[in-house]
Amino acid sequence: MTTMPTSRDHALRYDALRDGIAADAQDQSERNSRIFVHGTLIACLILQRFGAMPGGSAVFISLPAFGLLLGWGLSSGIATLRPRGVALYLAFAACTLISTLIALTTPDGRFGTSVSSVVAILVTYGFTMIGPSVRFDRATVFRLFLAYTRVIAAAGIVQWLVQFVGIRIFSFMVTVPALKPVLVEQLYNFNPIMHYGSTVMRSNGFFLLEPSMLSQTLVIAVVIEYFILGRVKYLPLYLVSYILSFSGTGALSLALAVPFYACLSARNFGRVAGFLIAGVVALALGSIVFPEQIGSILGRTNELSYSGSSGYARFIGPFLPIAELSHEARILVGWGPGATERYLYFKEGTGNSIAKLITDYGAIGITAFMAMFVGTLWRREIAILSVLALTTFIIGGGYLLFTPMLVLLFLLCIWGGVPSDAAVAIDGDVRPA
């Protein structure tokens, strides 16, 4: 005799089916999250040298790649529009369009304009309007970024060492000339010698464009490992690789970020104090093991004092024209997109994103931009990383449209997070990630 299924049996089967569908959906979301993060990291790190140069300017592969990944993320459900990001972006976009309209209708003979410049900015920063949905696995971001960075750090060490046995791969277009049409290396320091007349190259991590990019990427990894995840295991790897880059840019961005982070909460002082002590010890040991390398990095601290240095060209030179123009009423709205490079007295080799924003879009434009940049990247639970993103942008030379670094910062600050099943103590509070 057969037994008819009861309502309880139907309920149990329904629950099992529902749980199975939910588990499959969760697995699919996790797979999609990994694909999204892998694709983004490959585009902005591994393929950083690749792109095109229309009109003599660089368009990196990370720009269209990230745009396509965001579109796929929206269609697959792991991404969504961020209301705050949309509002801040639209406010900045309005300022840029007003400045462009004024520049086109009331031109200044000292400046030129470029509509493609404002289009590039609006497209690039439009990425900040999109962020992760509840289906996105935030923990994937930090985990995979650190895995990629460890590979790059190790590659940088090997790259520096093997040059002494005749294997020198610091430029893809020099090593494989056939790749030159799809590379943007020639616009950057593809021949990173120690100093004029030297035959020793500084490490660029093999995949990255310049030693400076290696130093900044390693510093970001250090911040995530130590301040966010509370780990020190891989810090020696990052430190050695950093030393061989002979670059002070990453250290400078960290030096600017750490004091501000320490001021956010009294409990942060302990972390910062421990980090500073470890840094002093590492510097002392490095001075013994790598005296030339440490001396070269420390020797760049006085670059601002002479006009021929890269530091002067990045932090002093770009603001000299602004000082001369500051008394004009036009400084409020700027002289239009592309005005910086088309100013009659513009000097090649000087570049600073903040100075360009002031000249192109004025005091109002730079205010709207900083509100957008800080407002979209700031998250209290990863405050140190958000602050580091700001200092990296400020001190980076010409980072306004340098999409490899911008996309990386967008990914880490907007999309990243610690494992969802862990509670982490941040700023004195225990918060779910």
Side-chain angles (χ1 to χ4, degrees):
M1 187 175 87
T2 60
T3 303
M4 297 294 292
T6 65
S7 58
R8 176 179 175 80
D9 294 330
H10 285 300
L12 290 174
R13 291 174 183 174
Y14 173 78
D15 289 343
L17 178 62
R18 182 186 60 189
D19 292 343
I21 293 174
D24 290 342
Q26 179 65 24
D27 290 343
Q28 185 62 50
S29 295
E30 291 177 356
R31 284 193 294 271
N32 289 345
S33 299
R34 290 193 297 271
I35 293 171
F36 178 87
V37 178
H38 275 299
T40 303
L41 292 173
I42 289 172
C44 65
L45 292 178
I46 304 304
L47 300 179
Q48 187 175 107
R49 300 171 184 260
F50 291 81
M53 294 187 297
S57 59
V59 177
F60 300 91
I61 195 172
S62 52
L63 178 67
F66 193 53
L68 290 173
L69 286 166
L70 288 176
W72 172 74
L74 288 170
S75 65
S76 64
I78 61 172
T80 186
L81 286 175
R82 310 166 66 214
R84 182 175 67 178
V86 172
L88 291 171
Y89 172 80
L90 291 179
F92 171 68
C95 292
T96 62
L97 294 176
I98 291 172
S99 179
T100 303
L101 179 62
I102 293 174
L104 293 176
T105 55
T106 57
D108 186 318
R110 298 168 299 174
F111 298 88
T113 57
S114 170
V115 175
S116 61
S117 177
V118 71
V119 171
I121 287 177
L122 293 180
V123 170
T124 300
Y125 291 93
F127 294 159
T128 62
M129 294 190 294
I130 302 174
S133 71
V134 293
R135 295 171 57 183
F136 183 80
D137 182 11
R138 286 183 177 271
T140 304
V141 176
F142 290 164
R143 178 172 56 83
L144 292 181
F145 166 71
L146 293 173
Y148 277 83
T149 303
R150 290 164 195 159
V151 171
I152 291 171
I157 295 172
V158 173
Q159 175 195 44
W160 191 82
L161 291 174
V162 298
Q163 69 175 311
F164 298 106
V165 295
I167 303 176
R168 300 164 68 87
I169 306 178
F170 293 85
S171 167
F172 288 3
M173 68 179 184
V174 172
T175 306
V176 186
L179 289 176
K180 189 173 180 179
V182 294
L183 297 172
V184 298
E185 285 185 4
Q186 59 188 285
L187 299 178
Y188 295 86
N189 185 14
F190 63 89
N191 185 39
I193 57 175
M194 285 280 294
H195 51 76
Y196 181 76
S198 174
T199 59
V200 178
M201 300 282 206
R202 298 183 293 144
S203 174
N204 55 24
F206 185 79
F207 299 99
L208 307 185
L209 275 165
E210 294 183 352
S212 173
M213 279 61 157
L214 173 61
S215 74
Q216 293 167 72
T217 303
L218 292 172
V219 162
I220 293 172
V222 168
V223 162
I224 294 175
E225 293 271 24
Y226 179 81
F227 287 102
I228 297 178
L229 301 180
R231 302 190 306 218
V232 299
K233 179 179 178 180
Y234 291 98
L235 297 190
L237 171 65
Y238 304 143
L239 177 62
V240 173
S241 187
Y242 184 99
I243 290 173
L244 299 180
S245 74
F246 296 86
S247 173
T249 307
L252 178 58
S253 63
L254 182 61
L256 294 174
V258 166
F260 182 84
Y261 172 71
C263 294
L264 291 177
S265 169
R267 292 183 179 244
N268 290 348
F269 279 103
R271 295 183 181 185
V272 171
F275 184 78
L276 292 177
I277 292 172
V280 171
V281 172
L283 184 63
L285 293 176
S287 299
I288 297 172
V289 180
F290 302 103
E292 183 181 7
Q293 290 83 346
I294 297 296
S296 176
I297 294 173
L298 295 179
R300 302 186 65 183
T301 57
N302 66 339
E303 281 193 352
L304 297 182
S305 61
Y306 57 97
S307 60
S309 69
S310 61
Y312 186 94
R314 185 179 299 179
F315 304 118
I316 304 298
F319 292 94
L320 296 179
I322 295 175
E324 298 173 358
L325 298 165
S326 60
H327 67 282
E328 300 183 21
R330 190 71 173 265
I331 195 70
L332 288 174
V333 295
W335 284 266
T340 299
E341 297 82 4
R342 293 162 181 81
Y343 183 38
L344 286 177
Y345 306 105
F346 175 74
K347 294 182 179 179
E348 291 292 340
T350 60
N352 182 281
S353 299
I354 301 300
K356 176 175 172 58
L357 285 166
I358 295 173
T359 304
D360 289 9
Y361 305 109
I364 296 175
I366 182 65
T367 302
F369 176 86
M370 294 307 293
M372 176 190 68
F373 193 85
V374 175
T376 56
L377 299 189
W378 172 261
R379 288 170 52 208
R380 185 172 178 80
E381 63 269 26
I382 55 170
I384 180 62
L385 181 58
S386 300
V387 175
L388 181 66
L390 177 61
T391 59
T392 298
F393 174 82
I394 290 175
I395 71 170
Y399 271 14
L400 184 62
L401 292 174
F402 186 66
T403 53
M405 183 57 70
L406 290 175
V407 166
L408 181 61
L409 296 178
F410 295 163
L411 176 69
L412 296 174
C413 293
I414 297 174
W415 297 76
V418 294
S420 57
D421 58 348
V424 291
I426 296 178
D427 298 334
D429 300 322
V430 177
R431 305 169 182 268

